[in-house]
Each structure stands twice: as structure tokens, then as C-alpha cells.
Amino acid sequence: TFTGNTVIDGGGVSIDGSANPTEFGTGATTVTLTNGGRLIVRSTNMDVTAGTKSFVVGAGGGTFDIASGVSVTLNDAGQFSGTGDLTKSGAGFLILGAAYTYSGANVNVTAGNLRLDSATALGGTGGKVINLSGGNLQLRSTATTTFG
């Protein structure tokens, strides 16, 4: 049985996905994407259970590559953070449903959909540059969101 945290540094890891992805060990673990590391989710929706997994985008940035018809949902405040640039690729959905401490400067959506269910899903301080180059941004927050 694998235990511990995972760092995807410049490569990619492909998983089928599940509510509590055991590909990254059992219990509360952290998956860190650095130097262009890619988490590739191919065939099953991943609605991550609160308190089980957290995802960090570190130095050099990281990518969530999600296949068509598949979604990755993070709804717990402790599940997403980091300082690196976030890229969402693949035709599927990345759903960020809570307030997070993410502080990266750039968010790139190259395919599929990035859905923000909270006005602070990409962090509550500092400006972000959101680049839409083939993907879609969906805002589903009832809070006031300022652009500009």
C-alpha cells in the first residue's frame, strides 16, 4: 500500500479518477505539481472527499489535464493551494468550489472548462491573469466578483 505525498515534477501521471483517488495513497495526502507537472484524469469523475487529498501547484506551474466527459471537483477549503501558474487542459471540467489560498499569478485554460463556484476559488488577494486560449471559464458564485 502506497502512503505519503506525491510530487509530479515535470512529468505526468495518468489516473482513472475516483472519489478518493488511492493512486496517491490512502488517507490525507498532498499531490504537488511542479515544473509543468501534469495530473491526467482519463475516465472517471473525481469528486474528492473532504480531508483526503489536497492539490498544490508549485514553482514552475502545473496542469490538470481532464478528459472529455470527466470532471474533477474540489469542494473543501484545504484542497487547492500553491504559488505556481495553473493550467487546465483537456476537454473535461475542473471545478473549484471553495475559497482557497492559491496565489499563482496566471491561470491558463487551454481546453475544456474551469468552473469557479466561489469568488475566491483562485485566492482572495492579488490580481490574476486568466488566459482563455481554447477553453471556457464559468463563474457560479453569488458573491460580488471584480474584474479589471
Side-chain angles (χ1 to χ4, degrees):
T1 301
F2 176 75
T3 60
N5 299 321
T6 303
V7 177
I8 304 172
D9 186 358
V13 172
S14 181
I15 65 171
D16 286 334
S18 66
N20 183 15
T22 56
E23 294 90 345
F24 299 116
T26 58
T29 61
T30 300
V31 178
T32 302
L33 307 172
T34 62
N35 297 314
R38 292 177 42 218
L39 173 61
I40 306 161
V41 183
R42 289 290 160 228
S43 64
T44 305
N45 290 339
M46 194 167 86
D47 189 358
V48 181
T49 306
T52 60
K53 303 290 178 272
S54 61
F55 297 86
V56 176
V57 179
T63 299
F64 284 82
D65 183 348
I66 304 166
S68 178
V70 177
S71 65
V72 172
T73 303
L74 306 176
N75 278 324
D76 184 53
Q79 290 180 319
F80 180 66
S81 64
T83 59
D85 291 351
L86 167 66
T87 299
K88 161 57 190 79
S89 66
F93 275 84
L94 175 59
I95 301 166
L96 301 177
Y100 301 109
T101 59
Y102 175 73
S103 61
N106 295 294
V107 176
N108 306 296
V109 184
T110 62
N113 297 280
L114 173 61
R115 189 175 95 192
L116 308 177
D117 288 353
S118 167
T120 55
L122 295 175
T125 60
K128 302 275 186 272
V129 175
I130 299 175
N131 301 298
L132 302 174
S133 57
N136 302 297
L137 177 66
Q138 295 181 351
L139 304 174
R140 296 195 53 195
S141 175
T142 57
T144 300
T145 302
T146 303
F147 294 95

